[in-house]
Amino acid sequence: MRTATEAAEESSVAQESHARTRERVARAILENGPSTAAALADQLGLTPAAVRRHLDALLADGVIEAREQRVYGQRGRGRPAKVFVITDAGRDEFEQAYDDLAVGALQFLADTGGEELVAAFARHRVADLERRYRPVIEAVEPAERTRVLAEVLSDDGYAASADESPVTDGEQLCQHHCPVAHVAERFPQLCEAETEVFARLLNTHVQRIATIAHGDGVCTTHVPRSP
């Protein structure tokens, strides 16, 4: 028979294993953006039932929240699948240490090489994004490019959407998640470099009118309608 001590040790090991798996689920959502339970199960090699148990616990703790999955094109029958996204509180748990390190590194660049060196780093950071997105964007008609840009941004975890502008003739590109929001609050060069890439990809002047880094709920970029 197991002793009380052995039972307690086994229980402790099981709880630690559950905690590690729960962290893997949350980190997968953080790194890959909005994710369905089925996608998480495939990615992590877990059963759908196990993933749902961890998702329920993360929802109860406020680390993630559930939303309806955005569907591009014609929607099939039935309700859209649920996707799970990291909340601000959940993102803070994971990213605070990384943010502190990034702010410190960029502050060192600014102190030793000036603000222009920070801007050069920001442009270097988004160069890969531009390289990957360009063939996808240029493969569609100009009128479709903002929508397609939103799609590829969403694939990279930015939870983006493209809609008609409610106030001017054009479109609004909205990013509902920003992985560097806390760093960009101190170094807006990160936002500026990203906006420059959007302008080059869409071949038009765009205007950033709101950012998560400045306390807005969504990063919003105005894209004028092409003549």
Side-chain angles (χ1 to χ4, degrees):
M1 290 182 62
R2 291 184 305 165
T3 66
T5 300
E6 290 172 336
E9 289 177 350
E10 289 183 11
S11 176
S12 177
V13 169
Q15 290 176 0
E16 184 177 349
S17 176
H18 284 307
R20 287 198 301 268
T21 303
R22 190 166 301 166
E23 181 179 350
R24 288 178 61 210
V25 173
R27 184 172 293 279
I29 298 171
L30 173 70
E31 294 177 349
N32 298 294
S35 305
T36 64
L40 289 166
D42 288 342
Q43 180 183 351
L44 299 174
L46 301 171
T47 65
V51 168
R52 291 191 188 95
R53 285 197 299 272
H54 291 300
L55 290 172
D56 287 342
L58 291 167
L59 285 166
D61 290 342
V63 176
I64 63 173
E65 63 183 12
R67 299 176 182 171
E68 285 193 352
Q69 186 176 33
R70 291 170 46 245
V71 179
Y72 302 105
Q74 187 173 2
R75 176 180 292 179
R77 294 181 178 179
R79 293 177 58 84
K82 279 186 179 180
V83 294
F84 299 90
V85 298
I86 292 288
T87 63
D88 288 340
R91 190 181 304 119
D92 286 344
E93 287 187 18
F94 278 103
E95 296 184 346
Q96 189 60 51
Y98 296 110
D99 288 347
D100 292 344
L101 177 63
V103 168
L106 289 176
Q107 188 62 59
F108 176 79
L109 290 180
D111 292 342
T112 57
E115 296 292 332
E116 180 52 38
L117 189 57
V118 176
F121 169 80
R123 290 191 292 269
H124 174 76
R125 177 181 173 274
V126 296
D128 177 66
L129 178 148
E130 182 175 7
R131 177 186 58 79
R132 290 187 294 109
Y133 289 3
R134 182 168 295 282
V136 181
I137 300 298
E138 293 183 346
V140 300
E141 294 296 321
E144 296 294 314
R145 289 180 178 176
T146 305
R147 176 185 60 80
V148 172
L149 177 56
E151 291 180 3
V152 292
L153 283 167
S154 291
D155 290 340
D156 276 350
Y158 288 87
S161 61
D163 299 291
E164 292 293 318
S165 171
V167 293
T168 61
D169 185 26
E171 297 171 287
Q172 283 189 351
L173 176 67
C174 297
Q175 295 158 264
H176 301 270
H177 171 65
C178 175
V180 296
H182 295 118
V183 183
E185 182 178 356
R186 168 62 184 84
F187 295 100
Q189 294 94 327
L190 297 174
C191 297
E192 293 163 5
E194 185 181 77
T195 305
E196 292 170 3
V197 166
F198 292 168
R200 289 196 295 270
L201 289 172
L202 299 174
N203 195 30
T204 187
H205 171 74
V206 303
Q207 182 180 8
R208 184 64 63 89
I209 57 179
T211 63
I212 296 173
H214 289 162
D216 301 300
V218 179
C219 293
T220 305
T221 305
H222 174 69
V223 182
R225 195 174 306 283
S226 299

